[in-house]
């Protein structure tokens, strides 16, 4: 995986970057092997710790030119866990790997994360996208949880995150059929936030990432934490959590900066506290 920092013009405090991660095994449709997991976990630690990182965008490397006489590989975000690493393994072999995995590392990043999906996002690839906060997909993308065809179920949070995102019945159909979900159906179900042409995918995704990266980095983290609460807390507790976090923001400098900027019709120059 490669990690590139893209600076955000007009971010405050100054120096904000979007951390762009590119899954880089195009010959294997960016299937997630042990190295991919290690790299994602390392990048997640850094994204959490480094104040300059305002947003994370995850993408798949585009296909390489085909070798002479060979057919071109299709575009992919990630075609799942690397199935070659499953052969001959028993539960003791895979348990440590799945207990400390890349999907949870992404899910636990305190800053906004966006999956930029072009092509196949299957199995662990759909789960990787689901571990992000927002998904933008090209119209030639395909999602799915085909693990059932291997005698398995999703193991990277797919059953739980998909159920919370699109509901029980649709999750059952996707997991039990193991079928492919085209981008337009994924959009209609709410698996993806937006569907755009492959040509517009990068610009649309980076524009959203930049917009998000220009907000107060402090408030952005609070917003993510509180919205996440809606997935985990009973409704009345979630309402209480939101109220308490909202009230606490009145003690921050960024609330005063934001309100004054609105009243003075100027840009907010956040300090991040
Ligand atoms: N793990 C390991 N390798 C994978 C892979 C995966 N999940 N998905 C694709 N690959 C590899 C293929 O083995 C092939 O390698 P090779 O060229 O060295 O033989 C290469 O990526 C290209 O895939 P290929 O199957 O030839 O492309 P295709 O266009 O015919 O089919 C898919 C594309 C996505 C339909 C097909 O690759 C597929 O079904 N992949 C597995 C999806 C899956 O079950 N994921 C869940 C895993 S838990």
């Amino acid at each position: 995986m490669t990690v590139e920092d893209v600076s955000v013009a007009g971010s405050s405090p100054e120096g904000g970057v979007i951390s762009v991660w590119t899954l880089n095994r195009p010959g294997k449709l960016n299937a997630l092997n042990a190295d991919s997991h290690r790299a994602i976990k390392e990048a997640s630690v850094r994204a959490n710790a480094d104040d300059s990182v305002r947003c994370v965008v995850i993408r798949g490397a585009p296909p390489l030119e085909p070798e002479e006489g060979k057919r071109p590989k299709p575009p992919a975000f990630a075609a799942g866990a690397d199935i070659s690493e499953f052969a001959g393994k028993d539960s003791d072999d895979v348990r440590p790997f799945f207990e400390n995995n890349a999907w949870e590392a992404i899910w636990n990043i305190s800053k906004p994360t966006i999956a930029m999906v072009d092509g196949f996002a299957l199995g662990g690839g759909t789960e990787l996208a689901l571990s992000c906060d927002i998904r933008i997909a090209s119209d030639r993308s395909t999602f799915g949880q085909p693990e059932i065809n291997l005698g398995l179920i999703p193991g990277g949070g797919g059953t739980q995150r998909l159920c919370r995102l699109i509901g029980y019945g649709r999750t059952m159909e996707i997991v039990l059929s193991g079928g492919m979900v085209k981008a337009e159906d994924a959009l209609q179900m709410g698996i993806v936030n937006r569907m755009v042409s492959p040509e517009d995918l990068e610009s649309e995704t980076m524009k959203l990432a930049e917009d998000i990266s220009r907000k107060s980095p402090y408030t952005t983290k609070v917003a993510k934490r509180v919205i996440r609460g809606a997935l985990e807390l009973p409704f009345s507790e979630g309402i209480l959590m939101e109220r308490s976090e909202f009230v606490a923001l009145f003690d921050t400098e960024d609330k005063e900066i934001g309100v004054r900027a609105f009243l003075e019709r100027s840009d907010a120059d956040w300090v991040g506290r």
Side-chain angles (χ1 to χ4, degrees):
M1 188 176 85
T2 56
V3 176
E4 184 198 0
D5 284 349
V6 176
S7 62
V8 181
S11 65
S12 52
E14 273 180 23
V17 300
I18 301 163
S19 186
V20 180
W21 306 355
T22 305
L23 305 165
N24 206 359
R25 300 181 72 214
K28 297 289 179 187
L29 310 191
N30 302 317
L32 303 164
N33 63 5
D35 284 344
S36 322
H37 276 257
R38 197 172 310 117
I40 289 170
K41 287 190 280 182
E42 282 170 17
S44 300
V45 169
R46 185 253 164 160
N48 269 327
D50 186 336
D51 285 343
S52 72
V53 176
R54 303 289 156 77
C55 183
V56 174
V57 169
I58 306 179
R59 65 189 302 176
L64 303 170
E65 282 298 312
E67 289 169 36
E68 188 74 29
K70 296 237 171 122
R71 71 188 166 104
K73 304 259 193 265
F77 175 69
D82 189 319
I83 299 171
S84 68
E85 293 185 350
F86 286 0
K89 298 266 174 71
D90 67 16
S91 60
D92 287 335
D93 296 325
V94 298
R95 189 175 296 108
F97 180 80
F98 274 79
E99 280 174 353
N100 176 20
N101 64 57
W103 303 285
E104 295 314 310
I106 294 169
W107 184 249
N108 290 324
I109 294 174
S110 59
K111 302 166 187 182
T113 53
I114 304 177
M116 177 170 121
V117 178
D118 184 22
F120 285 111
L122 297 175
T126 282
E127 290 172 305
L128 206 63
L130 292 172
S131 291
C132 294
D133 302 318
I134 295 168
R135 285 150 292 284
I136 303 187
S138 73
D139 53 21
R140 62 180 177 183
S141 298
T142 306
F143 295 80
Q145 298 286 173
E147 292 88 348
I148 198 97
N149 301 324
L150 305 172
L152 288 167
I153 63 168
T159 59
Q160 305 303 299
R161 284 193 257 274
L162 207 48
C163 221
R164 280 165 171 74
L165 192 63
I166 63 171
Y168 178 80
R170 284 168 164 165
T171 301
M172 287 296 264
E173 183 176 342
I174 289 171
V175 172
L176 296 181
S177 74
M180 305 263 185
V181 180
K182 290 187 186 315
E184 60 191 66
D185 295 327
L187 177 69
Q188 188 255 326
M189 286 183 208
I191 295 176
V192 301
N193 296 56
R194 288 193 212 171
M195 184 179 77
V196 298
S197 68
E199 296 74 35
D200 292 338
L201 180 63
E202 183 167 354
S203 59
E204 289 272 330
T205 307
M206 293 307 283
K207 185 180 176 311
L208 178 63
E210 281 171 20
D211 287 348
I212 290 171
S213 298
R214 288 197 197 95
K215 312 295 182 204
S216 156
Y218 183 86
T219 318
T220 302
K221 283 203 268 187
V222 174
K224 176 163 177 170
R225 192 165 67 236
V226 172
I227 297 168
R228 191 59 70 76
L231 298 179
E232 290 168 1
L233 297 171
F235 183 76
S236 54
E237 279 180 41
I239 292 287
L240 287 178
M241 178 199 189
E242 181 196 90
R243 190 182 306 155
S244 125
E245 295 272 15
F246 173 82
V247 168
L249 286 170
F250 277 70
D251 294 333
T252 65
E253 289 179 47
D254 277 354
K255 167 256 152 189
E256 203 56 26
I257 288 166
V259 170
R260 280 193 189 284
F262 175 81
L263 295 175
E264 291 163 6
R265 297 180 185 271
S266 61
D267 289 335
D269 204 1
W270 311 113
V271 293
R273 53 184 181 269

